C-alpha cells in the first residue's frame, strides 16, 4: 500500500507545485490547513502524508483526458484502428472532425462536465489535451 | 470537354469509387510535391487521407489544366487561416483563385478568374444517437432567426435536416471564399432565397449585391454550394495573395451573373494521367 501511495505521489510531485494544488481543491479545507502547516517540512514527508484529495486531483486530470478522448471518439465514430491511434495530442481535424463535429464536441464536453465554453476559448481547443486542460481549469 | 470560360472550373471526384491498394495510394502521393505528404499522412482515418490526397491532386491538376504552369513550378501555399492559394501567379488571370471541399463520397474544386469562389460539399447524414431536432439545435447560435424559422418549418425530420445543411453549406462556402478562418461568426450572415433560387446574402444586417450563391444536389445524400463574390470582401491575409483585387465593375458584374454550370466528374485515374502527361 505504501509503495503504491509513494508511486502516485511521486507522479503528482512531477505535475504539481503545492500552492496552486491547494487552491484548486474543493471542500478540503481541513486537509489544506494541515498541509499548509507542513509547508516547511521536507518534500518527501509532505507527500507521504497526502490525503485522498490530492490523489483525486491528479486522477481527475488523467480521468478528464480519458473522458474527453471517449467523447471525441464517440462523436467522430472512430473505428477500432483509428481509435487506437488517438493520443492526447491528437488534433480534432486530424481525427477527421469537420466544422460541425468541432461544434458538437464542444457541446458534448459542456454537457458532460457541466461547464460553459466561451467562443474564443472554443476556437483554441484543437486537441484532446487542450480540451482537458480547459475543462480542468473551468471545473476547479 | 465543353468550352469553358477562361479560368472557370467545377470539378468533382467520387472517391467512394476509388479504392486504391496501399501501393497505388503511395504512387499518387508521390506525384505531389513532398511538402504535401505530412499534410495527408497526419489524418488518422484512411478515408480522410484519401480525401486529403484527392483534394491536393485537384489543386495541382486544375492549376496546370487552366494556367498551363509546368507541374514542378506550381507552388501552392496557405494563408495563416489555412486557405490555399497559388503563389507567383504570373498568368493572365491575376485573380485566379480556387477552393476545394470534401465530405462523404465527394471531393470537389471550383475556380474563378475574377471573383472569389467558395465551394462546400455537405453529406446529409442522419445524426447518430440523436434526433434531427436535437442535432440541429447544437448549431442554433450560428443561424439567424430568419433562417431558423425556415429550417424548423421544413417538414419531416429528414426535410428539416436537409434544410439545415443547405444553410450551413452556404455559410461555409462564403467563409471559405473570403478566406476567413474558424473564428468567423456564422450568425453574422443570413441567406435569403426564393425556394433556393436567387440566393442572396445579408452581412451584418445589410444586403450585399456583390455575392451570388447556388445550391446543387449531387445525389440523394450530398449537396454542394457555390459562393461567388467581390474580391474586396476577402479577408486581408487572403486579399494580399490576389494580384489584382481591383476588378473592373463590368467584368465582375458579368462574372457574377453568368449562370452556373454543372460539375464535371473526374476519376482519380484521369487526374493522375493529367499530371503524368505534364512530365
Amino acid at each position: 500500500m505504501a509503495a503504491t501511495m509513494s508511486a502516485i505521489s511521486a507522479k503528482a510531485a512531477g505535475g504539481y507545485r503545492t500552492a496552486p494544488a491547494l487552491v484548486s481543491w474543493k471542500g478540503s479545507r481541513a486537509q489544506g490547513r494541515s498541509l499548509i502547516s507542513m509547508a516547511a517540512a521536507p518534500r518527501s514527508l509532505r507527500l507521504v502524508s497526502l490525503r485522498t484529495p490530492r490523489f483525486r486531483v491528479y486522477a481527475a486530470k488523467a480521468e478528464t483526458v480519458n473522458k474527453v478522448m471517449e467523447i471525441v471518439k464517440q462523436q467522430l465514430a472512430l473505428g477500432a484502428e483509428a481509435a487506437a491511434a488517438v493520443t492526447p495530442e491528437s488534433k480534432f481535424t486530424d481525427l477527421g472532425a469537420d466544422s460541425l463535429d468541432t461544434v458538437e464536441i464542444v457541446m458534448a464536453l459542456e454537457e458532460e462536465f457541466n461547464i460553459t465554453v466561451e467562443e474564443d476559448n472554443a476556437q483554441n481547443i484543437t486537441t484532446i489535451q487542450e480540451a482537458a486542460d480547459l475543462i480542468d481549469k473551468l471545473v476547479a | 470537354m465543353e468550352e469553358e470560360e477562361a479560368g472557370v472550373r467545377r470539378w468533382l471526384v467520387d472517391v467512394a469509387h476509388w479504392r486504391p491498394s496501399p501501393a497505388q495510394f503511395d504512387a499518387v502521393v508521390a506525384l505531389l510535391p513532398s511538402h504535401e505528404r505530412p499534410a495527408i499522412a497526419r489524418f488518422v482515418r484512411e478515408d480522410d487521407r484519401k480525401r486529403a490526397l484527392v483534394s491536393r491532386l485537384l489543386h495541382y491538376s486544375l492549376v496546370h489544366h487552366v494556367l498551363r504552369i509546368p507541374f514542378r513550378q506550381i507552388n501552392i501555399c496557405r494563408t495563416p487561416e489555412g486557405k490555399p492559394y497559388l503563389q507567383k501567379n504570373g498568368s493572365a488571370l491575376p485573380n485566379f483563385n480556387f477552393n476545394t471541399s470534401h465530405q462523404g463520397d465527394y471531393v470537389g474544386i471550383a475556380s474563378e478568374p475574377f471573383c472569389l469562389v467558395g465551394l462546400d460539399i455537405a453529406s446529409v447524414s442522419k445524426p447518430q444517437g440523436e434526433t434531427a431536432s436535437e442535432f440541429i439545435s447544437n448549431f442554433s447560435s450560428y443561424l439567424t432567426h430568419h433562417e431558423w424559422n425556415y429550417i424548423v418549418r421544413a417538414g419531416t425530420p429528414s426535410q428539416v435536416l436537409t434544410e439545415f445543411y443547405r444553410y450551413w453549406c452556404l455559410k461555409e462556402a462564403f467563409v471559405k471564399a473570403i478566406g476567413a478562418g474558424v473564428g468567423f461568426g456564422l450568425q453574422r450572415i443570413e441567406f435569403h432565397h426564393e425556394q433556393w433560387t436567387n440566393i442572396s446574402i445579408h452581412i451584418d444586417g445589410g444586403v450585399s449585391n456583390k455575392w451570388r450563391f447556388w445550391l446543387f444536389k449531387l445525389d440523394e445524400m450530398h449537396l454542394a454550394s457555390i459562393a461567388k463574390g467581390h474580391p474586396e470582401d476577402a479577408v486581408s491575409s487572403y486579399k494580399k495573395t490576389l494580384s489584382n483585387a481591383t476588378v473592373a465593375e463590368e467584368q465582375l458584374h458579368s462574372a457574377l451573373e453568368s449562370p452556373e454550370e454543372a460539375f464535371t466528374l473526374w476519376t482519380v485515374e484521369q487526374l493522375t494521367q493529367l499530371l503524368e502527361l505534364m512530365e
Side-chain angles (χ1 to χ4, degrees):
Chain A
M1 192 56 182
T4 322
M5 267 302 280
S6 59
I8 292 162
S9 308
K11 277 198 216 153
Y16 285 79
R17 303 285 168 265
T18 43
L22 283 168
V23 163
S24 66
W25 291 349
K26 284 195 273 194
S28 57
R29 277 190 214 110
Q31 288 94 333
R33 260 204 301 276
S34 64
L35 271 170
I36 288 166
S37 68
M38 291 191 65
R43 207 176 197 173
S44 52
L45 263 182
R46 241 190 289 143
L47 289 169
V48 160
S49 62
L50 283 176
R51 308 281 214 279
T52 331
R54 181 157 221 171
F55 168 70
R56 239 194 335 259
V57 173
Y58 171 73
K61 206 100 180 181
E63 197 186 305
T64 314
V65 172
N66 286 333
K67 237 183 203 161
V68 173
M69 246 196 238
E70 281 318 302
I71 288 170
V72 170
K73 283 181 193 174
Q74 202 177 42
Q75 177 59 42
L76 301 179
L78 298 184
E81 196 186 318
V86 177
T87 70
E89 284 66 43
S90 296
K91 284 192 148 196
F92 299 143
T93 48
D94 293 349
L95 301 176
D98 63 16
S99 51
L100 292 164
D101 291 316
T102 23
V103 171
E104 282 205 292
I105 287 170
V106 173
M107 294 254 161
L109 295 176
E110 286 182 327
E111 215 178 283
E112 175 69 31
F113 294 98
N114 200 22
I115 51 174
T116 305
V117 179
E118 298 299 319
E119 216 170 291
D120 34 350
N121 278 335
Q123 284 156 40
N124 292 330
I125 305 175
T126 61
T127 68
I128 286 166
Q129 187 66 54
E130 283 170 3
D133 290 344
L134 180 66
I135 289 161
D136 275 355
K137 211 179 357 178
L138 292 174
V139 162
Chain B
M1 204 155 297
E2 313 166 6
E3 193 54 48
E4 287 150 323
E5 204 184 303
V8 180
R9 295 291 185 281
R10 306 284 185 264
W11 288 359
L12 203 63
V13 178
D14 181 341
V15 289
H17 284 101
W18 185 50
R19 293 188 198 92
S21 65
Q24 287 169 327
F25 186 88
D26 290 344
V28 179
V29 174
L31 292 173
L32 301 179
S34 54
H35 74 265
E36 299 281 12
R37 284 165 216 177
I40 294 164
R42 65 176 220 245
F43 288 100
V44 156
R45 286 194 288 203
E46 193 186 317
D47 279 347
D48 291 328
R49 288 197 295 273
K50 205 167 64 162
R51 283 183 282 253
L53 171 58
V54 175
S55 191
R56 283 160 177 79
L57 189 62
L58 282 169
H59 285 158
Y60 290 90
S61 41
L62 183 137
V63 167
H64 171 73
H65 194 258
V66 173
L67 300 181
R68 300 278 158 219
I69 299 174
F71 173 60
R72 297 267 170 246
Q73 290 172 34
I74 299 173
N75 189 8
I76 293 174
C77 307
R78 289 179 187 253
T79 66
E81 286 82 358
K83 166 95 185 182
Y85 66 94
L86 180 66
Q87 201 179 54
K88 282 192 267 195
N89 174 10
S91 76
L93 303 174
N95 264 1
F96 181 75
N97 68 105
F98 52 88
N99 194 221
T100 51
S101 177
H102 49 76
Q103 188 76 233
D105 297 344
Y106 294 100
V107 183
I109 191 167
S111 68
E112 284 285 328
F114 305 120
C115 332
L116 299 177
V117 67
L119 164 70
D120 192 60
I121 297 172
S123 174
V124 186
S125 47
K126 274 205 173 75
Q128 305 213 357
E130 53 183 343
T131 65
S133 298
E134 285 166 354
F135 172 71
I136 64 175
S137 60
N138 281 319
F139 312 98
S140 57
S141 60
Y142 300 101
L143 300 157
T144 67
H145 288 303
H146 175 89
E147 295 170 329
W148 188 249
N149 284 335
Y150 271 91
I151 293 168
V152 296
R153 285 165 179 67
T156 66
S158 175
Q159 288 167 322
V160 165
L161 197 62
T162 305
E163 195 78 343
F164 163 77
Y165 274 115
R166 288 182 181 126
Y167 281 105
W168 189 267
C169 203
L170 286 165
K171 295 197 181 212
E172 288 281 294
F174 174 77
V175 171
K176 292 172 73 185
I178 63 175
V182 290
F184 188 89
L186 296 176
Q187 67 288 345
R188 291 170 56 195
I189 56 183
E190 180 174 271
F191 287 95
H192 292 239
H193 58 90
E194 290 149 29
Q195 288 177 315
W196 295 111
T197 63
N198 290 334
I199 305 170
S200 62
I201 194 172
H202 291 226
I203 306 169
D204 294 327
V207 63
S208 168
N209 57 9
K210 295 185 175 173
W211 283 87
R212 297 283 183 275
F213 298 85
W214 290 266
L215 270 177
F216 301 86
K217 181 176 171 177
L218 300 179
D219 63 25
E220 287 312 311
M221 291 300 296
H222 299 81
L223 39 102
S225 61
I226 288 279
K228 265 164 64 172
H230 203 298
E232 74 188 7
D233 287 337
V235 302
S236 51
S237 62
Y238 182 47
K239 206 184 274 189
K240 281 190 275 205
T241 73
L242 303 169
S243 319
N244 177 23
T246 326
V247 182
E249 289 310 305
E250 314 85 61
Q251 242 178 354
L252 179 75
H253 188 76
S254 76
L256 278 181
E257 294 306 322
S258 58
E260 269 298 303
E261 298 292 332
F263 282 83
T264 308
L265 217 52
W266 287 74
T267 64
V268 173
E269 288 75 19
Q270 287 170 323
L271 292 174
T272 56
Q273 271 162 29
L274 201 62
L275 283 186
E276 281 158 356
L277 279 172
M278 293 188 237
E279 294 302 301

